[in-house]
Amino acid sequence: MRIDLVTLFPEMFAGVFGTSIIGRAAERGILDVHYTNFRDYSTDKHRHVDDTPCGGGAGMVLKPEPLYAAVRDIRAKTTDCEGRRCTIIFDPAGEAFTQKTAKELAAYEQLILICGHYEGFDARVYDLADRLISVGDFVLTGGEIPAMLVVDATARMLPGVLGDDTSAPTDSFFDVLLGYPQYTRPRVFEGKAVPDVLLSGNHAEIARWRREQSLLRTMRHRPELLPLAKLTTEDLLFLSKQNEKW
């Protein structure tokens, strides 16, 4: 997958994308990450990318010309991805980014992520985007951190990125539900023991326990997710018994 980051601060990504799982995925050619500083596409002698808002108001607004020129240049250089790319702008009005979104984005061959700053974009810039995405109901100084988050979550969905391709399906939110509790050695730590079922060698019972724990954690901590999950008759019976206990 090709990732194009349109940003005023490409240096912000070096530490995050150059290490750990994302760094290794780039080294193996699974991810091909490119940075475009849209200041390079400014046409005035001072390389301005922002201007005062029409009608007055605080702060500065990102101009449309440099961003259009930058995105059009990227698209012209990657015509082989046409029809299989998605251009994203991070915006409070966007859809909430979820694991489902990460799975959808992983199906594209190219992502172009436009990172804003200041008081936001000239409204005409939004015509460049295929999707608007919000990573939460809070304000950040720019779109670089949301871009890091989206790339990290999406990359995990790509074959070969994780050391074990069976890891992602056990993550929280992969199938809507929260993940089950995990344990490792020692068997007993400060009086707290690993559940016996995990040491039993009975894979069917282990799978059942993990599913039930996932359901239980979701019911206790994020009950609003349960109606969104694909629950079996056995799942519903287990949850019904838990409600009776409460």
Side-chain angles (χ1 to χ4, degrees):
M1 170 181 277
R2 176 176 170 127
I3 305 289
D4 282 278
L5 296 146
V6 183
T7 171
L8 293 174
F9 302 99
E11 64 275 10
M12 286 184 65
F13 296 92
V16 175
F17 289 171
T19 57
S20 190
I21 291 172
I22 302 301
R24 291 195 295 273
E27 288 175 0
R28 296 199 297 270
I30 301 170
L31 285 181
D32 184 19
V33 184
H34 297 259
Y35 305 96
T36 298
N37 189 331
F38 59 92
R39 191 179 297 281
D40 295 338
Y41 293 82
S42 177
T43 56
D44 70 73
K45 66 178 181 179
H46 298 295
R47 302 178 72 212
H48 287 142
V49 295
D50 59 339
D51 206 341
T52 55
C54 292
M60 303 291 280
V61 175
L62 288 171
K63 294 162 58 67
E65 306 100 303
L67 282 162
Y68 265 81
V71 172
R72 282 173 173 165
D73 191 30
I74 293 169
R75 289 173 176 171
K77 292 174 180 175
T78 57
T79 54
D80 56 321
C81 296
E82 194 168 350
R84 293 170 293 173
R85 71 161 66 99
C86 183
T87 302
I88 295 166
I89 286 178
F90 300 102
D91 189 87
E95 61 184 285
F97 184 71
T98 65
Q99 191 68 34
K100 178 176 178 289
T101 317
K103 290 181 189 177
E104 292 170 357
L105 296 182
Y108 289 97
E109 190 167 311
Q110 179 187 24
L111 299 181
I112 301 175
L113 308 178
I114 302 175
C115 305
H117 266 275
Y118 311 121
E119 291 300 310
F121 301 99
D122 179 297
R124 291 164 290 189
V125 172
Y126 290 97
D127 290 340
L128 290 170
D130 299 306
R131 297 176 79 159
L132 303 182
I133 286 179
S134 170
V135 298
D137 295 339
F138 47 83
V139 179
L140 295 169
T141 55
E144 284 75 18
I145 292 175
M148 294 174 195
L149 185 155
V150 167
V151 171
D152 189 283
T154 301
R156 291 175 60 84
M157 300 296 99
L158 299 175
V161 169
L162 299 179
D164 182 349
D165 284 340
T166 64
S167 293
T170 66
D171 288 341
S172 289
F173 306 117
F174 186 88
D175 62 352
V176 180
L177 301 175
L178 298 181
Y180 50 78
Q182 296 273 23
Y183 294 86
T184 187
R185 291 175 288 187
R187 183 168 184 168
V188 179
F189 174 71
E190 295 190 355
K192 301 173 184 136
V194 175
D196 290 338
V197 64
L198 298 179
L199 305 172
S200 68
N202 187 324
H203 297 295
E205 286 302 312
I206 291 171
R208 181 194 300 274
W209 181 87
R210 285 175 168 169
R211 178 67 175 182
E212 290 178 349
Q213 291 299 309
S214 180
L215 290 164
L216 194 57
R217 287 190 72 212
T218 305
M219 184 174 71
R220 288 177 175 171
H221 302 292
R222 295 291 304 276
E224 75 278 9
L225 296 175
L226 287 174
L228 306 176
K230 293 180 180 178
L231 302 179
T232 66
T233 302
E234 189 175 0
D235 292 336
L236 294 170
L237 181 60
F238 173 78
L239 290 170
S240 175
K241 289 180 180 178
Q242 300 310 308
N243 279 324
E244 291 174 5
K245 290 179 182 178
W246 285 16

